[in-house]
Amino acid sequence: MKIVIVGAGEVGSHLSETLSLDDHDVTVIERDPERAQTIHEQLDVRVISENGSSARTLRRAGVENCDFFLAMTSRDETNLVSSSLAKALGARATFARVHDATFRDNSVINHQCHFGIDHLVNPEALAAVELAKRIRNPGRVAVEDFGRGKIEVQSIEIQEGARIVRIPLLEMKLPVDLRIGLIQRGETSTVANAQSVLQVGDIVTLFGHPDSLFEAKPLFDPDSQLSKKIGVTLLSGSEISISLVRLLSNPRFKIRVIEKDLELCRSLAESLPNVTFVHGEGTSLRVLEEEEIGSTDFFIACSKDDEDNIMTCLQAHKLGAQHTMLAINRADYIEVLDKLSFSLGLELAVSPRIATANEVLRYIGKKSFIELEEGDKCSTCIVELDIGPKSKVSGKRIREVRWPSGCVIVGQESNFIPRMPTGDDILQADDSIIAIIGKDKLKELLKLTK
C-alpha cells in the first residue's frame, strides 16, 4: 500500500520503520533537514524535506493516490491542516495526531467532521486507555476494547449462586448498555440469543461500557465486592494522567495526583474537584512515605521523565503499593522493562508512541473480522465493519434488519461516537458496527452491509 507520513518525530519515525519493514511504499515529509537526513539514511523510505501542510508538497508526495495519510507531527494545527488538504486531494484514509483536548471537544463543533479527517489519534489518551483497562480489571487477561475505551469486551466465568443461572437472556435484567455476546460451555462456543440459558461454569463474553461491566459483576460472580473503594495514586498531572482520571470517573475510584508544579496543581484541582491533588515532589521518598503510598491499590507514574517514572515506581513497590505501572516515553526502554518487570515489581509499562502506532496499524492491517480465540475450535468471530453507502441496512432500525441467523450487534459507532446499540437505533452509511457471528455466516453479513 502507498502511505504518506508527515512528521519524523518519535511517533512518525516509529511508524515509518514499521511500515517500511512490512514492504509498504512509504513517503515521509519532514521539514527539519537534519531529521529528514537521518530518516533517509536509516530507513528504506522516500523522504521529502518540506512543509507538510503545503498542498504543493502533498501533491509532490502523491497523496492523491495514497491509501493512508498519517499526520504525526507534534503540532496539532499542522496535522489538522495537512490531513484536511490530503483528504481533499484524494487520500483514501487520513489520520491526524492531536494533543489538545479542544480539538476533541464536540460540544461546539466536531473538528473531525469539519476538517474531513477519518481518524483523530491522541497518543497520551491511547496510553491512558491501556492503563485504565488494567486498573478496571486487575489480573484479567481476556479484556479488549473498542471505541478507544468506550466499549469494553470481557470474559467472565459464571460462579455458583449467580442470579442469572437458569434464566433465559430475554428475562434477565441487565444494564441497558451491556450485552452478552458469546457463551462458552466446555469446548463449544455459541452466539447468545434471547432464549439462551446460562449454567454455572459457563464463560460468557460481555460487551458494554466499562462501568456497566463492573456494576454487573455480582450477577455473574456473587463474591464480587463493589463497595470497596479502589485507591489510585498518579505521579504528575501530565496529559496521560488527566486522560486516565477522566476514564476512571466512576465513584468507586479514589484518585489523587502528586504534582510538583504549584500553578498546574491549583488549575487541575479547580477543573477536577472530585480528585485530590497533592503539591509535592513525587520522586521524593519522604513525600511518598507521607502520602502512605504503601497503602494505595495502584501507583501509576505518568511524568514526562522516564527515569523518574521508573525510580518512583520502584520506591512505591518497596513501600508496599499493590500494583505499580508507568508510562514510558522512550519506546526502546519497553523491551528492557518487560524483561525486568518481575524483579522491578512493574505490572505494566505503556508507551504513547507504541500505542499510537498500534492504533494506526490496526486500521492499516485491518482484517474484515477479529478472532476472539486462537485455534480452530471456536466457530464464532467478532466482526468490526463499516456500513457501505449502498448497503441494504442503511436507514433501517437494527431490529428491522434481517440479520444472518446467530448474528448479534454489540457495538455501533455513528458520527465518531461509539455506543452500545439498541434495536431502535438507526444504521447509517459510514457507521461502524461490531457484531458476533458464526464463521459460516460471515460472508452473508459482509454482503448485507456492503
Side-chain angles (χ1 to χ4, degrees), residues 275-306:
V275 177
T276 300
F277 285 88
V278 178
H279 175 236
E281 180 56 71
T283 57
S284 163
L285 180 60
R286 180 183 59 80
V287 172
L288 295 178
E289 288 174 335
E290 286 177 357
E291 292 302 318
E292 299 181 345
I293 293 303
S295 63
T296 194
D297 295 297
F298 290 89
F299 181 84
I300 304 101
C302 299
S303 80
K304 294 182 179 179
D305 189 302
D306 291 341

Side-chain angles (χ1 to χ4, degrees), residues 345-412:
L346 284 175
E347 190 166 308
L348 179 66
V350 300
S351 161
R353 182 175 82 171
I354 291 177
T356 303
N358 289 341
E359 175 76 0
V360 172
L361 292 170
R362 189 167 73 90
Y363 288 93
I364 291 178
K366 188 175 179 182
K367 298 178 181 178
S368 56
F369 60 89
I370 303 168
E371 294 285 353
L372 263 183
E373 300 179 19
E374 294 182 357
D376 300 325
K377 292 181 180 178
C378 186
S379 60
T380 55
C381 57
I382 296 178
V383 183
E384 191 178 5
L385 47 83
D386 298 328
I387 304 298
K390 297 180 180 178
S391 168
K392 297 175 182 177
V393 306
S394 180
K396 292 185 177 181
R397 297 183 189 277
I398 290 178
R399 69 170 74 256
E400 296 172 347
V401 178
R402 295 186 63 181
W403 300 103
S405 59
C407 177
V408 178
I409 308 301
V410 293
Q412 179 185 8

Side-chain angles (χ1 to χ4, degrees), residues 71 75-85 96-98 103 111-112 115 117 120:
R75 291 179 56 84
D76 291 354
E77 292 79 4
T78 299
N79 295 336
L80 290 170
V81 170
S82 61
S83 293
S84 184
L85 288 173
R97 173 186 177 185
V98 293
F103 299 120
H111 292 80
Q112 190 169 349
F115 286 101
I117 300 168
L120 294 183

Side-chain angles (χ1 to χ4, degrees), residues 133-154:
K133 284 197 298 184
R134 186 64 63 91
I135 295 169
R136 291 174 184 144
N137 305 280
R140 289 191 179 276
V141 179
V143 176
E144 191 52 82
D145 69 90
F146 298 97
R148 297 174 188 174
K150 298 291 179 65
I151 300 174
E152 205 166 81
V153 52
Q154 188 179 125

Side-chain angles (χ1 to χ4, degrees), residues 136-283:
R136 291 174 184 144
N137 305 280
R140 289 191 179 276
V141 179
V143 176
E144 191 52 82
D145 69 90
F146 298 97
R148 297 174 188 174
K150 298 291 179 65
I151 300 174
E152 205 166 81
V153 52
Q154 188 179 125
S155 295
I156 187 169
E157 184 175 344
I158 309 297
Q159 302 297 325
E160 192 71 46
R163 285 179 282 167
I164 43 75
V165 172
R166 292 185 290 277
I167 300 175
L169 259 62
L170 185 63
E171 299 175 20
M172 288 183 194
K173 295 181 179 179
L174 297 174
V176 209
D177 51 357
L178 187 143
R179 301 284 182 278
I180 295 178
L182 280 177
I183 303 170
Q184 182 179 330
R185 185 169 296 159
E187 297 294 322
T188 307
S189 288
T190 56
V191 180
N193 59 57
Q195 305 307 319
S196 296
V197 177
L198 301 178
Q199 298 178 7
V200 173
D202 287 352
I203 297 175
V204 293
T205 302
L206 306 175
F207 290 77
H209 189 278
D211 291 339
S212 296
L213 288 172
F214 177 82
E215 289 159 9
K217 277 183 181 178
L219 294 173
F220 305 90
D221 182 1
D223 294 330
S224 295
Q225 296 180 356
L226 302 188
S227 57
K228 181 183 178 294
K229 288 260 185 183
I230 299 172
V232 180
T233 303
L234 306 176
L235 171 67
S236 171
S238 65
E239 189 175 348
I240 294 178
S241 287
I242 302 311
S243 296
L244 184 54
V245 165
R246 293 194 173 110
L247 288 169
L248 302 178
S249 59
N250 191 286
R252 76 180 186 269
F253 296 109
K254 185 179 180 181
I255 304 174
R256 60 180 166 170
V257 179
I258 303 174
E259 171 54 53
K260 63 182 178 181
D261 185 313
L262 181 58
E263 290 304 314
L264 177 60
C265 203
R266 285 173 176 166
S267 171
L268 291 173
E270 289 176 5
S271 61
L272 297 164
N274 296 324
V275 177
T276 300
F277 285 88
V278 178
H279 175 236
E281 180 56 71
T283 57

